[in-house]
Amino acid sequence: DAKTTQPPSMDCAEGRAANLPCNHSTISGNEYVYWYRQIHSQGPQYIIHGLKNNETNEMASLIITEDRKSSTLILPHATLRDTAVYYCIVRVGGRGSTLGRLYFGRGTQLTVWP
Amino acid sequence: EAGVTQFPSHSVIEKGQTVTLRCDPISGHDNLYWYRRVMGKEIKFLLHFVKESKQDESGMPNNRFLAERTGGTYSTLKVQPAELEDSGVYFCASSQVTGPNYGYTFGSGTRLTVV
């Protein structure tokens, strides 16, 4: 089951930063925070992930609080094509047969408007 | 590189019939995953292959679903006999490495409609 809580919807003006919050208060020390998005009827698309340090790539930045109980995905300059459902996922680390699972919740519907 | 390919993209079948979905992972990716979203629900994990072996199949809903990955390349997911509640979108994903520090690449999915 999903271990994250996200707002069901948000909107953002094109060209502005979109900041998507996620709560994961029960996260364990070896669990990673992943972000995926799903644009309309396409398959989920990987965005970024992190363990405890902030991360940045060409798509987004991930800010994880020091206690790791929450994080924020930042799209620095949102475009209309960023309209999608964004999923915050806590993924088990270490070893084990269930290592491959991702638990998707309901996600946040981000709407970018012109 | 080519992405994860799934086909058919859409399938409409009658209740009681059999349907086989296929997934071609990214070349060289040993890990292959099946997920699905049924109407109004969240995306749920079905199973995970490492090469041709089933690493975790605990998400398979019942014995009407059979997944195979002979030779460790492409995978098929067969539903036999299909029921109305099997309708939804079936996603396949692949990754080169098993581990929590790597993202997956998903395919575009197969939309299955059982009537």
Side-chain angles (χ1 to χ4, degrees):
Chain A
D1 293 319
K3 296 177 62 175
T4 62
T5 305
Q6 299 177 253
S9 64
M10 295 182 65
D11 59 22
C12 173
E14 188 176 22
R16 306 297 293 269
N19 297 283
L20 290 87
C22 178
N23 286 319
H24 30 80
S25 58
T26 61
I27 194 169
S28 300
N30 66 347
E31 293 179 324
Y32 287 73
V33 179
Y34 273 74
W35 284 83
Y36 281 77
R37 72 181 182 182
Q38 188 174 23
I39 296 173
H40 193 43
S41 58
Q42 299 177 20
Q45 177 189 23
Y46 166 80
I47 301 173
I48 198 168
H49 74 279
L51 184 60
K52 44 186 177 180
N53 297 323
N54 297 337
E55 303 287 344
T56 295
N57 63 22
E58 65 278 5
M59 290 181 68
S61 294
L62 173 61
I63 309 298
I64 302 174
T65 57
E66 193 169 342
D67 63 7
R68 303 214 317 126
K69 292 186 177 182
S70 65
S71 60
T72 301
L73 177 74
I74 301 172
L75 307 179
H77 305 287
T79 71
L80 299 179
R81 289 177 296 177
D82 292 322
T83 293
V85 178
Y86 287 77
Y87 297 97
C88 172
I89 297 167
V90 168
R91 185 175 175 192
V92 175
R95 298 183 180 276
S97 63
T98 62
L99 195 59
R101 292 190 181 198
L102 297 176
Y103 293 91
F104 288 84
R106 293 284 183 179
T108 296
Q109 171 67 58
L110 174 69
T111 301
V112 181
W113 45 275
Chain B
E1 66 182 0
V4 176
T5 305
Q6 293 186 246
F7 53 92
S9 56
H10 294 81
S11 180
V12 181
I13 61 170
E14 292 184 352
K15 176 182 172 182
Q17 290 186 322
T18 298
V19 63
T20 300
L21 315 180
R22 172 168 168 151
C23 169
D24 285 69
I26 291 172
S27 179
H29 281 195
D30 287 341
N31 295 274
L32 186 149
Y33 315 85
W34 284 97
Y35 285 77
R36 75 170 181 176
R37 164 182 273 149
V38 295
M39 187 64 70
K41 299 288 183 65
E42 299 157 13
I43 299 172
K44 295 280 192 183
F45 167 85
L46 295 178
L47 88 160
H48 169 201
F49 281 102
V50 178
K51 297 185 180 179
E52 67 276 5
S53 300
K54 293 175 184 174
Q55 173 76 13
D56 178 5
E57 57 180 326
S58 58
M60 296 286 264
N62 52 61
N63 59 11
R64 296 186 294 103
F65 289 76
L66 175 65
E68 295 181 320
R69 194 183 181 195
T70 307
T73 54
Y74 71 90
S75 174
T76 58
L77 179 65
K78 180 189 290 187
V79 185
Q80 178 182 29
E83 298 290 344
L84 299 178
E85 64 264 24
D86 300 331
S87 295
V89 183
Y90 290 75
F91 295 106
C92 175
S94 72
S95 66
Q96 190 168 23
V97 179
T98 302
N101 202 20
Y102 299 91
Y104 302 165
T105 301
F106 279 82
S108 297
T110 293
R111 181 172 296 277
L112 174 65
T113 303
V114 183
V115 297

